[in-house]
Amino acid sequence: MSPTDSTRVSTTAPPPWAIWAAYAVPLCVLPSALWRLSLVFTDDATTRWYMIFLSAVSMALALLTLGLVHRWGQRLPHWVPRIGGRHIPARPVVRVALIGGWSLVAICVYFLLNHRFHLVQSGWVGIGDDEPVHPTPGWEVLRYYAPMLAWGPLVIAVAVDYRRRAPMIRRMEKP
């Protein structure tokens, strides 16, 4: 490796703040996922699978943010049949991350505004006549969801950094 190669590697490495932000995303989602999983043991069987599914999907999506700062997010692993070793195109990755991040921000803004100004009637809307009425959650529940307010902005910040670094990574990897 020549000295110019080492400078190229250092310019394509994500900055420390982006690495911290990417690792903060799963930590922001973890409290709500663990709280939902704790309900599996106390709630009825009809919502059990939903809680497990929602926790698993939210954690999986949060962990995908790590791919924006690690090499495995830029190239498919070699063990993947037929397409292993190929580059993952940066443009769709950035688009999906930005759409997801801005969607999370929009959902949080909607819920905060609705909570403050009561734009939509708050209360549980169940399906079916025999659906029990649930009380509006208080701070004992919302404290598990409060860290998720940072999920959208963190994903947006890491995706913007990935978009900045992606052209340099491609140029460096070409022979």
Side-chain angles (χ1 to χ4, degrees), residues 108-138:
C108 290
V109 166
Y110 165 76
F111 281 120
L112 290 173
L113 288 175
N114 189 41
H115 182 70
R116 175 70 177 113
F117 297 111
H118 305 289
L119 303 172
V120 178
Q121 178 186 2
S122 61
W124 179 258
V125 179
I127 299 174
D129 295 332
D130 58 345
E131 182 68 31
V133 176
H134 297 283
T136 304

Side-chain angles (χ1 to χ4, degrees), residues 13 26 28 34 55 67 77 80 85 87 89 94 105 109 113 123 139 141 157 174:
C28 290
L34 291 176
S55 295
V80 176
H87 289 286
V94 171
V105 168
V109 166
L113 288 175
W139 180 244
V141 173
K174 288 185 179 179

Side-chain angles (χ1 to χ4, degrees), residues 36-44 48:
R36 282 191 301 266
L37 288 176
S38 74
L39 292 179
V40 169
F41 303 108
T42 61
D43 216 4
D44 60 346
R48 186 172 294 157

